[in-house]
Amino acid sequence: MLHDLFPPGVQHALDLAGIFVFATAGALLAVRKNFDVFGIVVLALVTALGGGLFRDLAIGAVPPAAFGELSFFLTPLIAAAFVFFLHPEVQRINRAIAVFDAAGLGLFCVTGTTKAYEYGLGLTASASLGLATAVGGGVLRDVLVNEVPSLLRDREMYAVPAVVGASMVALFIEFDALNGVTTGLAIVTTFVLRLLAMRYHWRAPLAWNRRSAVAEEP
């Protein structure tokens, strides 16, 4: 479906850009945790490819795209090497990386939803796998470094924009309105929501009547 909306070369380039940014974010976390080179590579791979691997296995798209396309596997390795040698410089542009990460979030929630629908899933299941594609790698990354996944403590609303973007795609499919313009609208909406959340420190609601000033449990 998505390959009918964008030329194959454009779609491939967007996928690689998203993978590179996610892998860079994972590798930077590994550096901050003082992991060795193997840990940096593993965290880069898991962050970049984990969500897509889960989606492909869930819908029966085997072998997963990460293994069927060599560039998808090599791109996180390049990002890991980039961070390994140049992490002080990369840290200085960490905010810019967060912006690109927001763009990757928008792209992956859309591609994940459309691919799941292509494999015969219903709209709700497709949107759920769109979310999993966008945030699944981050969940695996956080588990590996022994942190509560950001999906469960959605500081600065990371998952919520992906839910919005995936839901928009599902609605466009339902009303036969999915095209290049509406797909771009879903990506941009996710991207802008994520940027606004970072700018204004928005977060998902806490439990009813629980004040945000109350200390979180470890």
Side-chain angles (χ1 to χ4, degrees):
M1 180 179 293
L2 203 61
H3 56 267
D4 294 329
L5 304 177
F6 297 106
V10 173
Q11 175 61 34
H12 188 67
L14 291 173
D15 285 339
L16 291 181
I19 288 171
F20 184 86
V21 170
F22 279 11
T24 300
L28 282 173
L29 179 59
V31 170
R32 289 196 290 269
K33 293 288 185 178
N34 290 321
F35 286 8
D36 61 18
V37 61
F38 185 74
I40 294 172
V41 169
V42 168
L43 228 57
L45 286 167
V46 165
T47 307
L49 303 178
L53 282 172
F54 174 79
R55 176 205 61 214
D56 288 350
L57 292 175
I59 64 179
V62 291
F67 298 134
E69 177 62 55
L70 183 60
S71 59
F72 287 172
F73 193 78
L74 289 179
T75 299
L77 300 182
I78 295 171
F82 179 69
V83 171
F84 181 80
F85 289 107
L86 299 174
H87 61 88
E89 287 73 18
V90 176
Q91 289 280 17
R92 294 191 190 101
I93 60 170
N94 201 35
R95 197 65 179 176
I97 290 175
V99 172
F100 286 111
D101 179 83
L105 185 76
L107 174 67
F108 281 7
C109 73
V110 169
T111 58
T113 302
T114 53
K115 185 169 184 178
Y117 185 76
E118 284 180 334
Y119 274 77
L121 272 68
L123 294 176
T124 301
S126 297
S128 298
L129 281 179
L131 171 64
T133 304
V135 306
V139 170
L140 292 174
R141 174 201 64 204
D142 293 342
V143 170
L144 287 175
V145 300
N146 199 31
E147 291 186 355
V148 176
S150 57
L151 180 65
L152 303 181
R153 288 183 177 177
D154 200 7
R155 297 184 180 91
E156 295 186 343
M157 284 198 345
Y158 193 79
V160 171
V163 171
V164 172
S167 299
M168 289 177 65
V169 173
L171 288 173
F172 290 144
I173 293 173
E174 171 69 15
F175 293 103
D176 197 25
L178 189 67
N179 52 47
V181 174
T182 55
T183 299
L185 177 62
I187 295 173
V188 170
T189 300
T190 304
F191 175 67
V192 171
L193 279 176
R194 174 60 179 150
L195 291 185
L196 290 174
M198 289 191 296
R199 173 66 178 83
Y200 296 106
H201 305 291
W202 293 345
R203 65 172 298 168
L206 299 175
W208 184 254
N209 284 337
R210 182 171 177 84
R211 299 184 305 275
S212 59
V214 176
E216 294 180 347
E217 294 294 335

